[in-house]
Amino acid sequence: MIQRVQSLYLFGAIILLVIVSFWGDFFNYITDEAFFRFNAYGISKYTLDGKELIEQTSLPVYIATLLLALFAAFVLFSYKKLNKQFAYSKLLWGLYLLVLIGIVAWNYFIAPGQVTGKVIQNNYSHSFYLLVIGLPLTHLAHMGIRKDKKTIDSLNRLR
């Protein structure tokens, strides 16, 4: 299992998903009234200096990221059944892309309605970029699994 490079890619994606689930913000909004942080736990409204928490709204995005991390671990440990691991890795990549598109759509369509005041600045934060880095890792893992599958299928044809 460790000799295969796709295991390292999947392990990297799992680590990134766990980090995103428990640490950091996806994006921030600065308005003329307050400072808003959108992270895996929901929306936090702070004073303009960012030190005092005014209110917290819970949107459990961390459930989706943790489920993706668990599914990636399942894909990692299903190495004995290569055909199923190949299908699972394709599904993992698709689900990861859907979560990423969902967060971007949340930023553009839903989040501006949840902030109060005139938006002065909107920017993505480090957790969002960590989440984006995990997408190519899942794709590289899928490509590695596909390469192993092709190698084993060609060896089976030789028998």
Side-chain angles (χ1 to χ4, degrees):
M1 178 175 90
I2 284 296
Q3 295 96 352
R4 299 169 49 193
V5 70
Q6 61 266 24
S7 298
L8 297 175
Y9 292 139
L10 284 171
F11 189 67
I14 291 168
I15 289 173
L16 289 174
L17 283 167
V18 170
I19 288 172
V20 165
S21 297
F22 296 112
W23 176 70
D25 305 326
F26 292 127
F27 45 90
N28 302 318
Y29 277 89
I30 299 174
T31 64
D32 55 356
E33 296 177 10
F35 179 72
F36 294 88
R37 290 182 176 169
F38 293 77
N39 56 23
Y41 297 109
I43 306 163
S44 302
K45 181 179 179 182
Y46 292 90
T47 57
L48 280 175
D49 61 356
K51 294 184 179 180
E52 187 177 331
L53 179 66
I54 297 173
E55 76 178 86
Q56 174 105 17
T57 306
S58 178
L59 294 170
V61 178
Y62 68 90
I63 294 173
T65 55
L66 284 178
L67 285 176
L68 270 177
L70 287 174
F71 188 62
F74 175 72
V75 172
L76 178 66
F77 290 117
S78 64
Y79 61 92
K80 288 186 179 182
K81 297 176 183 170
L82 198 59
N83 289 330
K84 288 188 178 186
Q85 187 184 29
F86 180 71
Y88 292 152
S89 68
K90 188 182 289 188
L91 180 63
L92 174 68
W93 185 84
L95 291 174
Y96 202 107
L97 184 64
L98 282 177
V99 167
L100 196 59
I101 289 172
I103 290 174
V104 170
W106 182 29
N107 183 27
Y108 283 111
F109 300 118
I110 299 170
Q114 294 176 337
V115 299
T116 57
K118 182 182 175 189
V119 176
I120 298 171
Q121 184 180 4
N122 172 19
N123 60 347
Y124 288 103
S125 190
H126 51 279
S127 287
F128 177 77
Y129 294 117
L130 288 177
L131 194 64
V132 170
I133 290 170
L135 185 66
L137 289 177
T138 58
H139 181 69
L140 288 171
H142 176 69
M143 288 176 52
I145 294 168
R146 181 175 59 192
K147 183 179 173 185
D148 281 356
K149 186 176 180 303
K150 283 183 180 180
T151 303
I152 289 176
D153 288 345
S154 69
L155 289 174
N156 286 339
R157 282 193 297 268
L158 292 174
R159 288 184 197 178

